[in-house]
């Protein structure tokens, strides 16, 4: 039987040929009916900027440099590239191809491929919603810092004073840390102290959701225009910071320290887990946003080239951001270490004048700090420092590089402190936080698209009122997001970031890979891509999908679960009394919240399977009561009339349960006696 040609991307009507639809299980592209008047990208550049903007986000600027620094430097880069090639790119290509072929959001795509796993799409939407809730809070923080950047000196440059006395909490820590925890967050000592809201951060969160709503007011038609600026501007800022950073004293030491390979650390399971997780999040796998963006493409678009290009740009952006971060942090560490050296040499000079044994004196000139290297002082201190009276300390560049480089601490403390040392610091501060704002918005647009597109494609009422859906979603997001504007809100942000997305997303991708490579069939999926692109991707993808990617994701899931089971989840809290951070365990009620988040995000998958199974068991009885079955219902003049509309409407018009699409086992149950014969099917599909 010759398969019918693929519909044109410009077609706006579809002939409801039930025979073609009934045999849709033979090909992912057969029976695919696109929604009427579906939006599309105005140009390939818009689509490309949207995909790059979504995948390149805040994690490239603060999570990747931190992981690279903590897990072997150059060795971690090699491991990251290996996992990107073997796992990241194949799964990214899988999502791009599925979305482009079926022209639906995540719900429609996985319902089409395997009705029993339709819950995958709903789980993706749930995870996107959880991520959007806390991600927009970070955008709100960026807005707060951006607004405070237009001052000289910067408000976090010096400790505030009450009269002639410096605030004790600030004096015990440092100005940037004090401003972050006390002025920006006004943070509590633990997550238990709930109920007190921060009005300034609440206003910033409202502004952030308003920007997102306006940017997505007309779907991709409006958000794509914003992408021209939000996706390109961060690269301009990163290049400016790189040029400026390389001119700073200490930049070379920071970069050398960053990329020095520590190969021994590759033997640790934790390093592999973190590298795989970063690959996973960097490309935005499992969110449904990649599928949503790809679904607006014409079917002839070369999605394989897109997968390679976007993945490469994502990696190079991470490396560029790492160079910038550690050039600036190297400058900061060098300044702090040299200040420490100057203070210690003054103490040493005072001691040597009194009663210090001449054998303990260093060989360098202690009266001229500028002529003494940190290495020379560190070597002397290691050998003789303990025998010298006084409060001498080691001035280690390495120790300074280790401070304040994790997560939000990197952007809002360490990097912010370094910028206070720049000439014209307000300009650089405003530039940096404007970059963070644009990085966050481009990712936020993609995250919201991963929610709105699947819902609009799957529910006709929402499709007709997509603008109202967008406004309603942003309002709900703001109201629930008030949870994060409490004085303890930063702890909830850490909770959501560490746990609400990681496990559910891994589970989603495991089922995505399994449904395509084993249920639908990797060979059939490659056949469909070949018909779509008019060339066949390398066969290596078949084995990567079926074995390497699937086993890698299952291993990552197992490692994450074991880590949660054997180590009680903790968070980093700010202790006001000691003016320092401390690690605390989550209370029992917080663990219950974590469990609810993870379960609610993954529950749609088993519920979808149960629903599909129960529906399949009841369907034979409903069909058996009619001697003509479904075919007799379709053997009418009405069925031969072309009807435009979504596939569900056409099937319901012909009396076919809509969730039978692509369920091959159901097709065998259809009566064959009085319906359309095989010859009729051949004749119908050839028209």
């Amino acid at each position: 039987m010759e398969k019918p040609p693929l519909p044109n991307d410009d077609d706006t009507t579809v002939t409801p040929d039930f025979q073609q639809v009934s045999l849709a299980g033979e090909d992912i592209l057969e029976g695919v009916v696109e929604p009427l008047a579906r939006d599309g990208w105005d140009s390939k550049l818009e689509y490309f900027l949207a995909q790059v903007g979504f995948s390149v986000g805040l994690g490239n600027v603060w999570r990747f440099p931190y992981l690279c620094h903590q897990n072997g430097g150059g060795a971690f880069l090699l491991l990251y590239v290996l996992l990107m090639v073997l796992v990241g790119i194949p799964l990214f290509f899988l999502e791009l191809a599925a979305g482009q072929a079926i022209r639906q959001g995540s719900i429609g795509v996985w319902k089409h491929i395997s009705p029993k796993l339709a819950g995958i799409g709903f789980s993706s939407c749930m995870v996107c919603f959880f991520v959007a809730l806390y991600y927009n809070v970070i955008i709100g923080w960026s807005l707060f810092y951006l607004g405070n950047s237009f001052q000289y000196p910067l408000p976090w440059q010096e400790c505030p004073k009450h009269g002639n006395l410096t605030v004790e909490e600030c004096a015990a820590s440092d100005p940037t840390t004090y401003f972050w925890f006390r002025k920006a967050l006004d943070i509590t000592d633990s997550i238990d102290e709930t109920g007190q809201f921060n009005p300034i951060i609440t206003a910033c969160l409202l502004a952030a959701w308003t920007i997102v709503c306006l940017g997505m007011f007309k779907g991709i038609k409006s958000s794509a225009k914003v992408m021209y600026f939000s996706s390109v501007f961060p690269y301009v800022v990163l290049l400016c910071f790189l040029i400026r950073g390389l001119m700073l004293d200490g930049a070379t030491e920071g970069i050398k320290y960053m990329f020095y390979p520590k190969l021994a650390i590759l033997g640790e399971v934790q390093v592999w887990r973190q590298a795989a997780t970063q690959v996973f999040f960097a490309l935005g796998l499992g969110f449904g946003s990649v599928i949503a963006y790809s679904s607006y493409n014409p079917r002839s678009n070369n999605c394989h080239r897109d997968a390679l290009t976007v993945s490469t740009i994502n990696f190079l952006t991470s490396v560029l951001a790492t160079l910038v971060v550690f050039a600036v942090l190297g400058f900061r560490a060098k300044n702090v270490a040299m200040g420490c050296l100057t203070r210690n040499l003054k103490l040493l000079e005072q001691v040597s004048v009194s009663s210090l044994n001449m054998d303990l004196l260093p060989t360098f000139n202690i009266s001229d700090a500028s002529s003494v290297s940190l290495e020379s002082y560190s070597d002397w201190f290691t050998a003789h420092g303990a025998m010298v009276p006084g409060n001498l300390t080691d001035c280690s560049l390495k120790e300074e590089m280790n401070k304040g480089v994790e997560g939000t601490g990197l952007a809002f403390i360490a990097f912010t402190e370094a910028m206070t040392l720049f000439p014209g610091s307000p300009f650089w501060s405003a530039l940096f936080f404007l970059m963070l704002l644009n990085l966050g918005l481009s990712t936020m647009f993609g995250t919201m698209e991963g929610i709105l597109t699947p819902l609009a494609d799957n529910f006709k009422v929402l499709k007709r009122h997509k603008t109202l859906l967008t406004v309603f979603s942003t309002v709900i997001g703001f109201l629930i997001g008030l949870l994060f504007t409490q004085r303890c809100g930063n702890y909830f942000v850490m909770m959501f970031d560490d746990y609400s997305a990681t496990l559910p997303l891994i589970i989603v991708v495991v089922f995505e890979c399994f449904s395509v490579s084993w249920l639908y069939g990797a060979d059939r999926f490659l056949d469909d891509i070949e018909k779509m692109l008019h060339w066949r991707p390398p066969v290596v993808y078949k084995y990567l999908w079926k074995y390497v990617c699937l086993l890698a994701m299952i291993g990552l899931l197992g490692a994450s679960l074991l880590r949660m089971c054997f180590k009680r989840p903790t968070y980093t809290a700010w202790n006001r009394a000691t003016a320092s951070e401390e690690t605390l365990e989550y209370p029992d009620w917080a663990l219950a919240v974590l469990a609810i988040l993870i379960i609610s995000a993954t529950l749609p998958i088993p519920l979808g399977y149960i629903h599909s199974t129960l529906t399949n068991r009841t369907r034979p009885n409903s069909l058996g009561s009619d001697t003509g079955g479904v075919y007799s219902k379709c053997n009418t003049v009405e069925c031969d009339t072309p009807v435009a509309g979504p596939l569900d409407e056409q099937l319901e018009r012909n009396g076919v349960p809509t969730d039978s699409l692509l369920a091959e086992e159901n097709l065998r149950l259809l009566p064959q006696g009085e319906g359309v014969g095989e010859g009729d099917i051949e004749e119908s599909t050839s028209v």
Side-chain angles (χ1 to χ4, degrees), residues 46-57 60 92 227 231 235 282 293 309-311 313-314 317 439 442-443:
E46 284 188 358
Y47 162 72
F48 188 75
L49 290 176
Q51 285 286 23
V52 170
F54 170 68
S55 65
V56 176
N60 296 79
F92 191 59
M227 290 293 182
S231 295
Y235 289 96
Y293 277 154
T309 306
V310 173
S311 301
I313 290 177
N314 185 288
T317 303
L439 282 172
S442 59
T443 302

Side-chain angles (χ1 to χ4, degrees), residues 39-42 212-226 296 445 449 452 466-468 470-471:
D39 290 334
W41 302 103
D42 289 339
V212 171
C213 183
L214 293 176
M216 301 197 65
F217 196 74
K218 294 184 178 180
I220 63 169
K221 293 299 183 183
S222 57
S223 63
K225 306 305 179 186
V226 181
Y296 295 110
F445 289 147
E449 203 64 54
L452 301 178
K466 194 170 183 180
T467 301
L468 289 177
T470 302
V471 175

Side-chain angles (χ1 to χ4, degrees), residues 218-408:
K218 294 184 178 180
I220 63 169
K221 293 299 183 183
S222 57
S223 63
K225 306 305 179 186
V226 181
M227 290 293 182
Y228 279 105
F229 181 77
S230 63
S231 295
V232 175
F233 180 73
Y235 289 96
V236 176
V237 176
L238 284 175
L239 288 173
C240 290
F241 266 101
L242 180 62
I243 295 171
R244 183 69 183 91
L246 292 176
M247 298 168 60
L248 299 171
D249 183 29
T252 304
E253 287 89 341
I255 293 175
K256 285 181 179 178
Y257 182 77
M258 174 66 237
F259 289 103
Y260 182 78
K262 308 175 185 68
L263 298 178
I265 205 170
L266 294 181
E268 300 179 12
V269 177
Q270 179 74 356
V271 176
W272 286 78
R273 187 189 69 81
Q274 291 186 337
T277 303
Q278 180 59 23
V279 169
F280 183 78
F281 278 102
L283 295 176
L285 301 174
F287 283 88
S289 304
V290 172
I291 294 175
Y293 277 154
S294 183
S295 70
Y296 295 110
N297 275 332
R299 286 202 178 94
S300 58
N301 175 65
N302 191 340
C303 55
H304 181 260
R305 182 176 58 197
D306 293 343
L308 296 176
T309 306
V310 173
S311 301
T312 302
I313 290 177
N314 185 288
F315 171 70
L316 293 178
T317 303
S318 297
V319 174
L320 173 62
T322 301
L323 286 171
V324 171
V325 166
F326 280 88
V328 174
L329 290 184
F331 164 68
R332 167 185 170 271
K334 187 73 173 287
N335 270 273
V336 174
M338 289 304 296
C340 169
L341 176 64
T342 301
R343 291 191 302 272
N344 279 274
L345 289 182
K346 288 181 179 179
L347 290 173
L348 184 59
E349 191 174 8
Q350 295 173 4
V351 172
S352 64
V353 171
S354 56
S355 59
L356 184 63
N357 188 331
M358 299 301 294
D359 294 335
L360 300 180
L361 283 174
T363 56
F364 48 77
N365 185 5
I366 61 176
S367 61
D368 184 11
S370 60
S371 65
V372 181
S373 68
L374 290 170
E375 292 79 7
S376 300
Y377 173 79
S378 184
D379 291 341
W380 173 85
F381 182 84
T382 302
H384 306 290
M387 294 178 284
V388 176
N391 295 319
L392 296 182
T393 58
D394 190 10
C395 299
S396 171
L397 182 65
K398 180 179 178 181
E399 289 300 319
E400 291 300 327
M401 287 293 297
N402 283 334
K403 294 179 181 178
V405 295
E406 180 178 4
T408 53

